[in-house]
Amino acid sequence: MHIIENGNVAAALGVKLCRANVIAAYPITPQTPLTERLSEYVEAGEMKAEYIPVESEHSALAVCIAASSAGTRVSTATSANGLLYMHEQVQWAAGARLPIVMCVVNRAVGAPWNIWNDQQDSISQRDTGWIQMYCADHQQIIDTVIKAYWLAEKVSIPIMVCYDGYILSHTYMPFDVPDQEQVDAFLPPFRPDYALNPEDPANLNTVTLPDVRMDVHGELAHGYMEIRYLLQEEMRTTLAVAAEAEKRFTEIFGRGGDPYIEPYRCDDAEYVAVGLGSLTYQLRVCVDALRKEGINVGVMGVRFYRPFPDEAIANALKGKKGVIVFEKALSYGYEGALASDLKSALYEHLAYTGALPVVQNFIVGIGGRDIRTEELTQNLKAATQHRVSKEPAWIGLKL
Amino acid sequence: MGTRNYKRKTSHSEHGPGDGGRTGSWRVERPVFDRSLCIPCKRNKESCFICWLFCPEIVISRTIPPTVNLEYCKGCGICAEECPTKAITMVDEAQFSEEDKD
Ligand code: SF4
Ligand code: SF4
């Protein structure tokens, strides 16, 4: 059924269709309408779920960790400083291999206090062992939530579904809401290998020594290092599982595409703009304008940020003269994290060709600074003509 | 042989001695029992066993005399603290020969 609604509602509908059984979230702008909507579904009996009110984001994720350990499908959501406050539990959920799906409605982090959109919040959680998926419109939000539950439960790794605050969370767009039967066909009930059970008690994630140990059955059990290695190994194989998720999704719902990247006018492009989230759709307007001027440029959205689809990205950028990375976040003291990751992928996969694309990094929209399409276009154009700067260049800065 | 085929991907311990690792390797002091003070030893019948009850590693046996599995006794001294007759003394590991230590 096609409806016109905002991005937070798209996310809430996705969670509802996935039949999450426990929801624990603490309201924070711009995520608040999402959790409000979920609480309304529960209150109205439309969702058979426990909505557990908590006093903080740290507790919200702690509740989800406990409920997920007990074998329940869980949902939470947050933004900005709420996500930062969760940070300890974020790492915990990954090490505990719990398939929690969390919507991150991207917002700038303090200080100074700011409620507007950028992506510093989720990017700062890059190294926590969570899968990160980025959405560019409302259809992608609802579809990504549904895919995320399937994928998280398949690989036992939690997932952040990230979408831009306000730009997506509070704007209205038409999108298709799948039927419950379709979602049920796609997503089987959650059946973990082990769920907390008083008949079969266990201590989960207690002190784990540096070395391996014999368990009570006399089997050699992992030490901390093996557990962490497996997280990395299975994060990497998640890329292949994500392709399977996309294929299944496309078969059942009739829409889908490349699971990792979303290229637009890239095939014959000499220069390709790269970014995460809604910014890449705005960049399509710039690409169309520059194409009219005869500049061969395209844009590629990165849908999967962790695990990083290095090979898919490098293949898509092979033979290009330049790559221009636009980011709403950065690793302070160096450059945008996506730019660094992308350069590493290019070096790994293309260095042997002796033809590496030049990479320019732009920082935009920090703390919700207006991203003017004309300004984006001019900067993209400049980057196709000359080296703009070695350091990341900030667009729209009024210093 | 490594842990590649271990059935779990996480740290998962079940009830039983030593599932938190060889906690005995941490020990700097060892509990030593004085049978002349220990209640069940003196009466030669099951009684007291407060040390058995309190030991967090569950390594004291409910026997006459109570014995300690030194593979897992971490030397916390809780047993000595709780013993009502002060029958348990914590003794520096340096007092024991290498042979005794194993
Ligand atoms: S607590 Fe003391 S007296 Fe009681 S059984 Fe243990 S050693 Fe003996
Ligand atoms: S209480 Fe502590 S010191 Fe006593 S036996 Fe148990 S682990 Fe060892």
Side-chain angles (χ1 to χ4, degrees), chain B residues 14-40:
Chain B
E14 289 165 63
H15 184 80
D19 210 17
R22 286 191 54 190
T23 42
S25 64
W26 311 348
R27 192 178 57 247
V28 292
E29 287 186 331
R30 173 187 302 197
V32 174
F33 288 67
D34 181 344
R35 293 185 198 184
S36 70
L37 293 175
C38 170
I39 298 165

Side-chain angles (χ1 to χ4, degrees), chain A residues 6 35 58 99 101 122 131 155 221 244 246 299 301 351 363-364 390:
Chain A
N6 64 56
T35 50
H58 188 278
V101 173
S122 57
I131 294 165
V155 297
E244 191 189 331
E246 193 72 20
V299 55
I363 305 298
V364 293
K390 186 230 162 245

Side-chain angles (χ1 to χ4, degrees), chain A residues 64-302:
Chain A
C64 289
I65 286 169
S68 184
S69 302
T72 304
R73 186 171 288 156
V74 301
S75 162
T76 188
T78 192
S79 297
N81 288 56
L83 178 59
L84 305 190
Y85 189 24
M86 277 182 185
H87 182 68
E88 182 215 15
Q89 297 293 302
V90 168
Q91 304 251 8
W92 192 274
R97 304 297 300 269
L98 298 169
I100 296 166
V101 173
M102 166 159 71
C103 291
V104 177
V105 190
N106 289 119
R107 164 184 150 180
V109 301
W113 205 239
N114 178 296
I115 61 161
W116 289 271
N117 167 245
D118 68 31
Q119 295 173 340
Q120 191 68 34
D121 52 359
S122 57
I123 293 296
S124 77
Q125 303 300 303
R126 179 189 69 170
D127 301 338
T128 53
W130 282 56
I131 294 165
Q132 286 197 352
M133 298 165 83
Y134 285 80
C135 309
D137 68 8
H138 296 33
Q139 190 67 62
Q140 286 187 8
I141 294 173
I142 186 168
D143 291 355
T144 304
V145 167
I146 297 167
K147 283 176 213 169
Y149 275 104
W150 186 89
L151 182 60
E153 289 169 14
K154 197 84 178 165
V155 297
S156 301
I157 298 173
I159 301 186
M160 293 183 201
V161 175
C162 308
Y163 57 91
D164 291 306
Y166 303 107
I167 297 168
L168 295 179
S169 69
H170 284 62
T171 57
Y172 284 68
M173 256 192 232
F175 58 91
D176 176 54
V177 182
D179 296 336
Q180 185 68 60
E181 297 75 53
Q182 285 178 301
V183 178
D184 289 345
F186 177 75
L187 181 67
F190 176 39
R191 298 263 182 271
D193 290 344
Y194 176 83
L196 282 173
N197 175 5
E199 305 297 317
D200 178 20
N203 264 330
L204 304 182
N205 309 302
T206 49
V207 179
T208 302
L209 302 181
D211 209 350
V212 297
R213 66 179 170 89
M214 284 295 174
D215 72 5
V216 288
H217 307 292
E219 287 167 40
L220 195 64
H222 311 303
Y224 182 90
M225 198 157 162
E226 287 70 32
I227 290 168
R228 287 282 158 174
Y229 176 85
L230 287 173
L231 176 59
Q232 160 67 2
E233 184 176 74
E234 292 176 27
M235 272 290 255
R236 295 302 294 167
T237 53
T238 288
L239 286 171
V241 187
E244 191 189 331
E246 193 72 20
K247 187 165 163 282
R248 268 177 58 82
F249 189 91
T250 309
E251 279 162 16
I252 294 175
F253 298 89
R255 60 174 171 271
D258 187 303
Y260 319 120
I261 53 174
E262 199 179 11
Y264 176 79
R265 302 187 83 164
C266 285
D267 284 351
D268 63 337
E270 292 175 300
Y271 294 89
V272 173
V274 177
L276 297 164
S278 63
L279 179 62
T280 57
Y281 279 15
Q282 190 177 1
L283 279 161
R284 290 183 176 189
V285 181
C286 311
V287 163
D288 290 343
L290 293 176
R291 284 272 178 173
K292 285 206 184 92
E293 293 182 30
I295 300 171
N296 281 338
V297 58
V299 55
M300 185 175 87
V302 176

